[in-house]
Amino acid sequence: MAEAASDGGPDSSHKESDVSGRTPSGGSALTALTAENGAGAIPLPAWAKTLGWCGVAGLIYLLICAVSIISRGFAGLGSDAAHTMFSFAAHPWVGLSVGVLGTVLIQSSTTTTAIAVTAVGSGALPIQGAIPIILGANVGTTVTTSLVALTFIGDRTAFRRALGASTVHDFYNWLALLIFFPIELIWHPLEHISGTLTDALYGTDWLPNPAHFNFIRAATRPVEHGVIRATTHVSSTLGPLFTIVIGAVLILVAVRYLGKLLKLLMVGRARDILIKAVGRNAYVAMASGMGVTVVTQSSTITTSVLVPFAGTGILTPAQVYPVVVGSNLGTTFTVVFAAFAGVGQDAKIGLQAAFVHLIYNLFAIVVIYVIPILRPVPLFCAEKLARVASEHRWVLAVYLGTVFIALPALVIVLVGVL
């Protein structure tokens, strides 16, 4: 009882200010902790920064090459074989589970979504089949931040705070899925709106047509042809399959190390921007979360930066909440960028799939966060789970194992395979 009273103090003292995102009494402590963390960072010399940014450019080039390689692989399979690959995901519940489980396994929603968008752009996957995968990837990406909270498991109070801040991302995305997935199954608003937006913008001066980027195709062709030549000695079916796998691995490598490199180059600035924004206004925090995610190419990096501050009691889950919302939107821009690497007759529908991801997260912000009725729900669920899990540690293992692994795997096996 004493512990519950004591660790409830800091949270309750911020209760009113959490809605607006302001920190009434934690400013000096926050500044001190930020300064302490910044002081421990080792500044990179100029030559290291130059090499780092060259590496960023190289990884972006690799990402574009990987998208082109996957497209060529699907084209090599032929339309019938390509569609057969995704036939098991044609059922929306299976596609949703593939998105969740695939993202959990590779730890990158950007990679999962980029592969789905590329499959649509190459004609291997219909837009109706890609939408559940994209929605599922949005949910699967939240696991990593929950694992970061486990570093505080030795201190019950700190663990509760850190887990509350990390799982607010889970429940925000689950609530968005609960609202929009049934609506999409019945009325298909994401498909229709993204299609209308693509028809209105594609091939106009508002959006560049990827078919006009001949210099990009010329730059990526040597790598693309090299992979194709390396797989041509295999059978006509296995060769394209190996090509697709190589492209998927290259996307995973590019996205993962791009995030790591940008974190190394930008972590000080990114942390400073986030911490300062959290203390001002919820919508400024949201914009900062989006901006930092666009730069680092990873919503996980953005949200994970703030978990230690929540664990120490400097930030509350309610103050981390808008940053999470902004990071969800920021991660969609990488996929839109990847969609522009596609060319040919199906490139337009690939761009539509990327717009689905963007529109879905915009709608989620409006319905869940901007409209105040639903805004407290993810925060309430996160804090409730954190309180129970801090008392019974096995609850977190059951939650993560069941919701993110066992349940999606069971749906894939029972509905998609059997």
Side-chain angles (χ1 to χ4, degrees), residues 167-190:
T167 55
V168 72
H169 198 186
D170 297 28
F171 289 106
Y172 173 81
N173 282 335
W174 280 119
L175 181 59
L177 185 67
L178 185 64
I179 294 170
F180 290 105
F181 187 56
I183 293 175
E184 183 62 25
L185 290 180
I186 299 171
W187 293 293
H188 311 289
L190 294 175

Side-chain angles (χ1 to χ4, degrees), residues 146-178:
S146 298
L147 298 178
V148 173
L150 288 174
T151 59
F152 293 89
I153 199 166
D155 183 322
R156 182 177 295 175
T157 301
F159 179 57
R160 179 181 61 79
R161 291 168 175 162
L163 189 60
S166 62
T167 55
V168 72
H169 198 186
D170 297 28
F171 289 106
Y172 173 81
N173 282 335
W174 280 119
L175 181 59
L177 185 67
L178 185 64

Side-chain angles (χ1 to χ4, degrees), residues 8-31:
D11 288 351
S12 59
S13 67
H14 290 290
K15 227 33 152 179
E16 286 197 31
S17 64
D18 286 346
V19 176
S20 63
R22 291 186 295 271
T23 309
S25 59
S28 59
L30 181 58
T31 303

Side-chain angles (χ1 to χ4, degrees), residues 73-87 123-125 236-238 240-241 244:
F74 281 127
L77 277 176
S79 59
D80 291 339
H83 283 90
T84 300
M85 271 189 68
F86 288 94
S87 60
L125 180 67
S236 59
T237 301
L238 289 179
L241 282 175
I244 293 168

Side-chain angles (χ1 to χ4, degrees), residues 9 28 60 99 114 120 148 150 164 216 233 258 269 277 283 291 305 345 357:
S28 59
I60 291 174
V120 172
V148 173
L150 288 174
I216 291 181
H233 66 281
L258 187 61
R269 294 180 187 176
Y283 290 100
V305 164
Q345 59 180 359
H357 196 203

